[in-house]
Structures are given as C-alpha cells and as structure tokens.
C-alpha cells in the first residue's frame, strides 16, 4: 500500500502541550480560564478591527449563537449560501426558522450579491417581511464579495453572519475574513487551518455583545447568588484545555497559512499546461485566500476524463480527494426550503474536486497527486 495522502490533517506546532501543561499545573481543567482568555485575545489581535471574540465548543455553536442573539425564531427566514457545508444552515433549523438558499457567482464560488438582492425582494413580496439575517460563506478560504454583499445587506438593514469557518487568515481588500459582518464565525475543527481538536469562535463588534454571547453560551445564568434563568441557554463554552491547543496553534498560524498557499501555488504551476483542469484562483488582487483547500474543476470534454474518474483513480493510489460541497438546495433534508439558484453551484458540484492541501504535506506529495491526475 502506498503512503496515504490525506485532504487536511491536524498539524501541531510544538508548543500546544506547554499551554495544556500550564492548565493542569494550575488546575484550570474546566471551561473558561486563562487559556480561553489568552486565545480570545490572540484571535482579537490577529483579526484587528477592534473585534471581541468568544471562544466556543464549535463553529456550528458560533453560528447558532449569532442567530439566537439576532432573535431568529419560528416564522422567520434566514438567507444562507447554498454552496456550503450543512453546518452553515443547520442552526437556522435549530431556531425553528426557515433557511432560504442563495446560489453562488463564478468568480469566488460564494454568495451571488445580485441574486441575494433578488431573493430579498422576492421574499418581501411573498411573505410580507424581510429575512432576518444573511449567512454568506468564504468557501475553501476564498472570501465572498463582501463589499457587494454588505451593500445589499445594509440597503435592507439585514444583519450579516459571516461564516469564516474555512477562512481564518484570508483577507478581502486587506481586511481579515470574519470581520465584515455583524457577526463572524470561526471553526477550529480538526481539519481546519488551525485546530483546538474541536472548537469555534464568535467574532463580535462590542464587548457588550461578546458578554451577551458568553451569557447564552454558559446556560443563560442570570446574575444572582442562586441559579436564576430567564432565557434558554446553551453549554457552548470552550474548555481551558482546548483553548491551550488554540494558543499553541496561533503561534504557527502564519506558517500554516503560507504552506497552504505554497501548496496552491505548486498545484497551479503543475497544472498550468493541463487541458481541461482549472485550479481556483484569487479572482483579483482584492482577494487573498488562505487556500485552506486547493480545488480544481474538470472540463471532461477537454480533459478526456471526468471528475469522478480522477477521484476514483486517486483513491486507488491511497490519495484522498473529495467532490466540492453538495449544494444545500439539493440536499434531501432541505428539500422544502425556498432557493434562488442560477446553476453555478450545481455545475461546480458536478465537476469540482478538493485536493490534498494540509500544511503537513511536502512538495513530493503534491507532485504525486498531480501525476496520478495527469497520467490517465
Ligand atoms: C467546518 C465548518 C463549519 C462548522 O464548524 P465546526 O467547528 O465543525 O462546528 C461551518 N461552516 C463551514 C463552511 C465549515 O467548513
């Protein structure tokens, strides 16, 4: 069996255990604690724009809390990018609200701002009210067209929850992804650009909002000597141990970022003469993707093979690859949800493939992947 080459593995930097040891030595093996505040400060400093961070148990929890804070409830609609991982949309259902899916544009593969406005106007016409929030996603690390999306959102005064789970370190017009919306959400799941073994964060505009998020994340316990509850709460805080991993990972975030971008540059170079195979690129110099995953699209007529031919051949060679996200409007679980589609995400799902991109991979691994793809 050939050496496996995987899509995206956790990659430790070396100092994570120092922070964990400190937590054990000081008996802070509980939620909250100095690693949590340290990690939150590291993230706030990294993102800039005076943001306030709440570290949480998952990226999904961050999206859910943003919806809770925006008072999304049964009878409300929330616009969500269709081309994404289910975790962007599931929390809308947790609140009993209805997701309304919006398709992507071809440059970034993210929410189409023109279709977004059409969807907003059509929902207003059909239901008599505007959707309660908008969830654009920065897929595979590529920023959505945030200027255009924020302009539409602001025009109709609809808050934006920016799903930056895959985009820590990516920028748009030199501003960090996750800092454009009214809320930003991050993920530190095991396969993301940095990991806490499982975790996430909510990016807030003010300390007041961060405190409110923390209140909901710690069972909505009111300020009283006994346990007083006036709202429904959640157990969503990050543990001090996980946050210790996060602090260690922050020390190597830039290294990981550069390695992922170098892997993308190598794929781009190795595929430059390959007919029918296109590597997703930053559309203009306004975009700077972290290239969490390098993705290709396969034009089978030109390439002489389909995406699925390639995926199966890679699998035989013990190389992991994966079709692009299956759009939410095609998912059985969301069959009833309204959707505004233009064919872009369906075409991408048909012809797109994510290639091994983890920061642990060496150049020879990438060369082996490309060889298998080209030698059909
Ligand atoms: C990973 C991911 C999430 C969810 O993050 P978890 O930390 O796994 O809960 C949400 N949205 C997108 C686009 C993701 O890739």
């Amino acid at each position: 069996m050939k050496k496996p080459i995987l899509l995206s593995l956790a990659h430790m930097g070396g100092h994570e255990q120092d922070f964990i040891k400190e937590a054990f030595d000081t008996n802070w093996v509980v939620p909250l604690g100095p690693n949590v505040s340290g990690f939150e400060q590291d993230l706030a400093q990294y993102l800039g724009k005076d943001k306030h961070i709440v570290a949480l148990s998952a990226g999904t929890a961050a999206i859910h809390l943003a919806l809770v804070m925006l008072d999304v409830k049964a009878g409300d609609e929330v616009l969500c990018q269709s081309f994404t991982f289910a975790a962007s949309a599931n929390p809308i259902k947790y609140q009993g609200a209805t997701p309304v899916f919006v398709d992507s544009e071809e440059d970034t593969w993210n929410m189409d701002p023109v279709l977004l406005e059409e969807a907003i106007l059509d929902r207003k016409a059909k239901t008599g009210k505007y959707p309660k929030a908008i969830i654009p996603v920065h897929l595979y690390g590529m920023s959505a067209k945030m200027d255009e999306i924020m302009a539409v959102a602001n025009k109709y005064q609809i808050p934006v929850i920016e799903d930056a789970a895959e985009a820590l370190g990516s920028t748009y017009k030199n501003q960090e992804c996750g800092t454009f919306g009214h809320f930003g959400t991050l993920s530190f799941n095991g396969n993301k650009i940095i990991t806490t073994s499982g975790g996430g964060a909510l990016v807030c505009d003010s300390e007041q909002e961060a405190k409110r998020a923390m209140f909901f994340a710690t069972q909505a316990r009111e300020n009283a000597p006994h346990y007083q509850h006036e709202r429904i709460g959640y157990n969503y805080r990050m543990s001090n141990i996980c946050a210790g991993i996060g602090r260690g990972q922050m020390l190597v975030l830039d290294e990981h970022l550069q390695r992922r971008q170098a892997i993308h540059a190598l794929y781009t170079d190795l595929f430059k003469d390959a007919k029918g195979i296109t590597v997703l690129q930053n559309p203009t110099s306004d975009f700077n993707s972290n290239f969490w995953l390098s993705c290709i699209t396969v034009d089978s007529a030109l390439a002489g093979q389909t995406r699925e031919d390639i995926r199966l051949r890679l699998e035989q060679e013990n190389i992991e690859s994966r079709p692009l996200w299956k759009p939410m409007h095609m998912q059985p679980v969301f069959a009833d949800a309204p959707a505004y589609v233009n064919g872009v995400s369906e075409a991408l799902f048909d012809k797109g493939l994510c290639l091994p991109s983890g920061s642990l991979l060496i150049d020879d691994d990438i060369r082996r992947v490309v060889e298998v793809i080209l030698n059909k």
Side-chain angles (χ1 to χ4, degrees):
M1 199 66 158
K2 295 204 174 115
K3 178 191 146 196
I5 300 182
L6 300 175
L7 213 55
S8 181
L9 274 184
H11 181 182
M12 292 298 115
H15 290 289
E16 291 82 2
Q17 294 195 44
D18 301 345
F19 291 104
I20 294 173
K21 183 168 185 309
E22 195 182 300
F24 274 82
D25 290 349
T26 54
N27 204 28
W28 272 107
V29 189
V30 289
L32 309 180
N35 279 335
V36 173
S37 352
F39 185 42
E40 289 173 343
Q41 277 159 26
D42 291 347
L43 285 165
Q45 195 175 3
Y46 188 87
L47 293 175
K49 302 298 276 182
D50 267 335
K51 293 290 181 175
H52 299 260
I53 312 295
V54 184
L56 297 167
S57 56
T60 312
I63 299 170
H64 187 198
L65 280 190
L67 294 169
V68 168
M69 307 243 308
L70 292 172
D71 199 29
V72 169
K73 51 188 184 301
D76 290 333
E77 292 187 336
V78 175
L79 294 161
C80 181
Q81 183 163 321
S82 183
F83 195 41
T84 186
F85 177 44
S88 306
N90 283 337
I92 301 168
K93 290 293 233 181
Y94 302 168
Q95 287 306 99
T98 303
V100 176
F101 294 112
V102 179
D103 214 326
S104 293
E105 39 79 17
E106 304 210 354
D107 294 342
T108 68
W109 298 359
N110 293 313
M111 187 180 270
D112 181 337
V114 178
L115 201 53
L116 170 66
E117 184 162 21
E118 283 173 30
I120 291 171
L121 293 173
D122 195 54
R123 294 328 291 168
K124 177 78 167 87
K126 288 208 165 85
T127 69
K129 57 181 191 173
Y130 287 115
K132 206 71 176 279
I134 303 170
I135 308 179
V137 188
H138 308 302
L139 228 45
Y140 306 116
M142 180 67 71
S143 175
K145 293 184 172 170
M146 287 315 291
D147 272 1
E148 286 93 325
I149 288 173
M150 292 310 295
V152 172
N154 291 334
K155 184 170 168 187
Y156 300 97
Q157 298 187 343
I158 305 173
V160 168
I161 302 166
E162 199 188 339
D163 183 349
E166 301 176 0
L168 180 60
S170 298
T171 58
Y172 172 70
K173 297 190 175 172
N174 292 318
Q175 185 178 332
E176 296 290 328
C177 286
T179 65
F180 290 88
H182 303 83
F183 291 104
T185 64
L186 302 172
S187 168
F188 314 111
N189 191 33
N191 60 352
K192 298 287 158 66
I193 194 147
I194 63 166
T195 185
T196 57
S197 79
L202 185 66
V203 182
C204 302
D205 275 332
S206 66
E207 195 180 342
Q208 204 183 348
E209 278 191 325
K211 282 200 170 130
R212 187 94 182 127
M214 216 178 299
F215 163 79
F216 282 113
T218 40
Q219 309 284 21
R221 190 183 163 194
E222 300 290 339
N223 195 6
H226 58 274
Y227 277 78
Q228 173 80 8
H229 299 283
E230 295 164 17
R231 299 291 306 260
I232 295 297
Y234 306 88
N235 182 6
Y236 277 171
R237 288 303 325 249
M238 180 179 279
S239 86
N240 201 45
I241 300 296
C242 294
I245 306 176
R247 286 179 90 181
Q249 290 270 284
M250 285 306 285
L251 299 173
V252 289
L253 170 55
D254 280 330
E255 250 169 69
H256 286 194
L257 192 83
Q258 282 157 23
R259 182 64 197 141
R260 298 228 182 209
Q261 291 175 333
I263 287 171
H264 175 266
L266 184 56
Y267 276 125
T268 301
D269 184 52
L270 295 171
F271 281 123
K272 69 178 184 299
D273 298 322
K275 281 200 184 64
I277 293 180
T278 310
V279 184
L280 177 68
Q281 303 293 336
N282 290 312
T284 69
S285 58
D286 286 343
F287 296 83
N288 181 30
S289 172
N290 65 11
F291 290 115
W292 171 58
L293 295 183
S294 287
C295 303
I296 57 169
T297 50
V298 182
D299 179 337
S300 53
L302 281 174
Q305 53 183 344
T306 64
R307 185 282 309 281
E308 208 47 17
D309 294 336
I310 293 177
R311 192 186 69 77
L312 292 170
R313 211 164 56 251
L314 288 169
E315 192 171 84
Q316 272 169 13
E317 295 291 321
N318 216 7
I319 297 170
E320 184 186 22
S321 67
R322 191 173 301 152
L324 300 183
W325 297 123
K326 181 172 182 175
M328 291 306 115
H329 72 267
M330 296 172 73
Q331 299 285 1
V333 72
F334 292 123
D336 294 341
Y340 294 80
V341 300
N342 55 18
V344 171
S345 64
E346 288 183 31
L348 287 168
F349 175 58
D350 190 48
K351 66 183 181 179
L353 193 66
C354 304
L355 298 180
S357 309
S359 41
L360 274 168
L361 296 174
I362 59 171
D363 285 3
D364 277 347
D365 295 329
I366 305 304
R367 288 197 188 92
R368 207 182 111 206
V369 173
V370 174
E371 247 165 57
V372 172
I373 294 175
L374 295 181
N375 294 330
K376 46 181 190 284

